[in-house]
Amino acid sequence: NMQSIFAKNGSETPEPVKAEVTGSVPSWLQGTLLRNGPGLFSVGSCEYNHWFDGMSLIHSFTFRNGEMTYRSKFLKSHTYNRNIKADKIVVSEFGTMIYPDPCTNIFSRAFTHLRNIISNFTDNNLINIIRYGQDYYATSEINYMNQIDPGTLETIGRINYRDHITLNLATAHPHYDNEGNTYNMGTTIMGFGRPKYVLFKVPADTSDKKQKKPALRKVQQVCSIPCRSTLFPSYFHSFGMTDNYIVFVEQSFKLDIVRLATAYFRGLTWGKCLIFDKDDNTLFHIINKKTGKAISTRFYGDALVVFHHINAYEDDDHVVFDLISYKNSNLYDMFYIHNMKQETSNFIESNKSFSPPRCQRFVLPLNIHKESPRGTNLVTLTDTTAQAVMQEDGSVYCQPDTLLEGLELPGINHNFNTKKYRYFYGSRLEWSPFPNKIAKFDIVTRKHIEWEQENCYPSEPVFVASPGAVDEDDGLILSSVISTDPNISPFMLVLNAKTMEEVSRASIPASVHIDLHGLFIPATD
């Protein structure tokens, strides 16, 4: 069945293998696409419960002179090494709680404080590849990252955010500006005072080739935002950025701190410590990234769950930001392995209640005055139906404009990040959480075009701009594709981003596993 290809153990291809190219890869495409995702779902006779528990498998697709080579290696994290050595799962993950042997003294563990439980988090960084300075890291959302060599995929070593900045969690979706600085956000749970969200920046020129000092040593805190609830900080997976502002969505999908602190004794996994409060609202924070000061207007909207932002920009005294939202948090439940292993028809039937992803545009007017008229829509942009209505108490209630339903894993032309833009790309999720098409959406015409092939499952599309491109969609889309058809080997698909037509494909004579996110690193020579 189809689900089995997602939750079966992947394997390494440690030496580069050459792909067989059909069509022609443009000679200007030179560089490496690094990708990350869960690739090992059992160790010995122990199995993980959740797809986001699988141990990280790093892939690289290297383009050079019209050819492509592929290689993959498991991230050699502390977690991986400990599990492999024990030949069983010994480190707890998001959906799998592991208890020590009964002969160890459970009481000595029972009185460990929350901070010890958190600092014993796994370092299985399976979500993305990110860059700080010139250092590349496999990351998830915990305080550990593992540095990797983008050429060989070797794991260089583990780094702890907490050695440089007080963070317990950090996103795996930072923003890069034109100078090469990296902006990211995290949450401080165990610090001084109440929990807070922290925005930080790592300057571009931090790398130190000779002495191997980490780029993070130059980290700068931009600002912090107090959590609205001490015991329930919002969960967040990404954030928005414009030229001048950071957009942070404080959603009603939250981390229950007390539950997290007692999860171990109550037999709960960390995944069960995420709570969606459908009756709460969503707060939208806009922070000036130069001064670190938040705009004082209280912008809020209805409850939603968001993982991925698409893009954000400023337009005529408004902040416009596009994100992908869900009506509830059922998405996580679908990825429990026992749910994924159902026959396709049962899977569709049992996920009828799945709230589909909605690409939505929110617009927050910045020029709000104390005397702005109550009860009227303050958005004056003409290209959107998004509303921002001033309430009696001076707060502003925001309702989005829905652009498209059924698209996830969004990508844009990165040269338009933080700028007014027209197109985004993504994986179409129509009847299940398994993407079976790639789509390009045009925000101006509100139409989309798609690429698809029967029995094929593409990964998140990555846009690479043509050299000297003027048009926003002048470039290529890269996506690795796996198939349930045994006659179709895995391939890297190269599409013309203007037409979404195939330019070439590179068939890979090795096993390739479905992944989550990645980063294209242009060749420097």
Side-chain angles (χ1 to χ4, degrees):
N1 68 7
M2 188 195 84
Q3 280 72 29
S4 63
I5 62 172
F6 285 82
K8 75 171 196 310
N9 283 344
S11 56
E12 293 185 308
T13 306
E15 293 305 316
V17 295
K18 200 170 145 186
E20 187 182 321
V21 174
T22 50
S24 85
V25 174
S27 56
W28 60 260
L29 182 64
Q30 306 268 2
T32 296
L33 176 59
L34 288 184
R35 312 254 335 139
N36 194 354
L40 198 64
F41 299 94
S42 63
V43 185
S45 58
C46 300
E47 295 186 358
Y48 286 116
N49 296 329
H50 199 279
W51 197 65
F52 298 150
D53 296 344
M55 282 194 285
S56 161
L57 181 57
I58 313 271
H59 314 261
S60 69
F61 306 84
T62 298
F63 295 92
R64 195 175 173 85
N65 305 333
E67 298 184 340
M68 193 198 88
T69 52
Y70 170 79
R71 77 189 320 174
S72 66
K73 288 183 186 173
F74 285 111
L75 181 70
K76 304 307 187 293
S77 60
H78 290 209
T79 295
Y80 177 91
N81 294 335
R82 285 176 62 192
N83 288 342
I84 296 300
K85 187 177 170 195
D87 195 33
K88 61 181 182 183
I89 299 169
V90 293
V91 181
S92 296
E93 297 289 345
F94 175 82
T96 308
M97 188 60 88
I98 301 298
Y99 291 91
D101 297 335
C103 54
T104 58
N105 179 351
I106 190 111
F107 291 103
S108 64
R109 305 267 325 230
F111 298 106
T112 341
H113 288 306
L114 170 64
R115 80 180 48 178
N116 288 355
I117 292 179
I118 287 193
S119 63
N120 288 334
F121 264 8
T122 170
D123 67 337
N124 172 32
N125 300 124
L126 75 152
I127 294 181
N128 202 0
I129 305 290
I130 71 180
R131 175 182 63 72
Y132 285 123
Q134 288 307 312
D135 302 351
Y136 292 90
Y137 296 93
T139 60
S140 44
E141 301 189 323
I142 49 194
N143 54 296
Y144 294 118
M145 295 185 290
N146 276 282
Q147 191 179 350
I148 58 165
D149 178 321
T152 63
L153 306 188
E154 284 301 309
T155 305
I156 295 171
R158 179 164 96 167
I159 184 168
N160 189 346
Y161 274 114
R162 296 170 57 126
D163 293 342
H164 305 276
I165 184 170
T166 315
L167 286 179
N168 300 98
L169 305 163
T171 91
H173 290 288
H175 283 273
Y176 308 100
D177 67 14
N178 298 338
E179 282 90 63
N181 303 307
T182 306
Y183 288 85
N184 205 352
M185 280 193 74
T187 306
T188 299
I189 297 170
M190 307 301 308
F192 299 103
R194 58 188 295 180
K196 52 186 184 286
Y197 313 111
V198 176
L199 176 69
F200 59 95
K201 170 186 174 180
V202 177
D205 54 351
T206 50
S207 287
D208 168 17
K209 281 282 176 280
K210 289 186 220 44
Q211 304 189 304
K212 297 283 190 207
K213 289 180 183 164
L216 269 187
R217 75 188 192 283
K218 300 253 182 96
V219 65
Q220 303 161 6
Q221 181 170 317
V222 177
C223 73
S224 69
I225 305 164
C227 301
R228 56 176 158 172
S229 159
T230 309
L231 294 176
F232 298 95
S234 280
Y235 169 78
F236 58 101
H237 186 85
S238 63
F239 59 100
M241 187 165 93
T242 71
D243 275 340
N244 296 296
Y245 300 103
I246 296 292
V247 178
F248 171 58
V249 177
E250 192 173 12
Q251 60 183 335
S252 48
F253 187 34
K254 308 169 190 179
L255 193 57
D256 181 330
I257 300 278
V258 175
R259 224 183 230 207
L260 186 64
T262 58
Y264 185 82
F265 333 117
R266 292 168 59 187
L268 293 173
T269 61
W270 298 323
K272 296 275 186 267
C273 300
L274 283 169
I275 313 293
F276 177 59
D277 180 355
K278 67 181 193 323
D279 302 316
D280 201 354
N281 55 26
T282 302
L283 293 183
F284 303 111
H285 301 272
I286 303 215
I287 299 118
N288 182 315
K289 68 183 194 216
K290 295 184 181 58
T291 65
K293 296 272 183 290
I295 286 181
S296 60
T297 309
R298 183 178 184 271
F299 294 104
Y300 73 99
D302 297 333
L304 56 78
V305 171
V306 54
F307 300 101
H308 297 121
H309 282 251
I310 304 172
N311 196 10
Y313 61 90
E314 294 153 53
D315 190 1
D316 190 26
D317 251 354
H318 298 73
V319 167
V320 178
F321 60 97
D322 298 340
L323 51 74
I324 298 178
S325 84
Y326 295 83
K327 290 193 175 78
N328 58 40
S329 57
N330 296 358
L331 182 73
Y332 268 146
D333 294 339
M334 275 200 307
F335 285 93
Y336 279 100
I337 305 268
H338 64 86
N339 289 337
M340 293 177 75
K341 287 190 168 164
Q342 300 174 64
E343 280 304 322
T344 304
S345 56
N346 299 355
F347 187 82
I348 297 168
E349 194 50 49
S350 61
N351 286 297
K352 282 278 167 60
S353 64
F354 164 57
S355 132
R358 297 165 301 178
C359 301
Q360 296 188 313
R361 166 160 290 184
F362 285 88
V363 180
L364 277 46
L366 298 178
N367 52 358
I368 290 178
H369 305 292
K370 297 270 185 290
E371 54 280 357
S372 291
R374 303 298 192 251
T376 55
N377 178 22
L378 304 175
V379 176
T380 55
L381 302 181
T382 53
D383 58 357
T384 179
T385 57
Q387 297 203 355
V389 176
M390 181 73 127
Q391 304 300 298
E392 285 306 325
D393 65 359
S395 64
V396 177
Y397 172 56
C398 304
Q399 282 179 292
D401 170 6
T402 297
L403 306 174
L404 175 69
E405 201 168 88
L407 180 140
E408 250 295 2
L409 304 175
I412 61 167
N413 174 342
H414 210 274
N415 297 327
F416 286 78
N417 190 35
T418 77
K419 312 261 186 295
K420 187 163 186 176
Y421 75 120
R422 178 167 177 175
Y423 304 106
F424 60 84
Y425 309 86
S427 304
R428 284 290 269 157
L429 305 180
E430 291 176 297
W431 48 268
S432 92
F434 302 116
N436 55 333
K437 299 176 189 175
I438 302 173
K440 172 192 185 181
F441 185 77
D442 180 334
I443 297 168
V444 174
T445 64
R446 300 290 172 109
K447 291 189 163 54
H448 68 277
I449 50 176
E450 297 176 334
W451 174 90
E452 69 176 310
Q453 183 180 327
E454 203 178 351
N455 299 323
C456 286
Y457 299 91
S459 69
E460 165 193 67
V462 172
F463 180 95
V464 182
S466 304
V470 176
D471 292 348
E472 182 186 336
D473 60 350
D474 179 359
L476 301 172
I477 292 291
L478 308 181
S479 174
S480 64
V481 183
I482 60 172
S483 177
T484 45
D485 180 340
N487 300 313
I488 302 176
S489 60
F491 59 96
M492 170 55 66
L493 176 67
V494 183
L495 301 177
N496 173 337
K498 272 194 186 297
T499 61
M500 296 300 277
E501 285 165 353
E502 184 170 327
V503 175
S504 58
R505 66 173 60 185
S507 292
I508 299 164
S511 133
V512 177
H513 217 272
I514 196 90
D515 56 34
L516 281 167
H517 299 292
L519 184 67
F520 183 75
I521 306 172
T524 46
D525 52 33

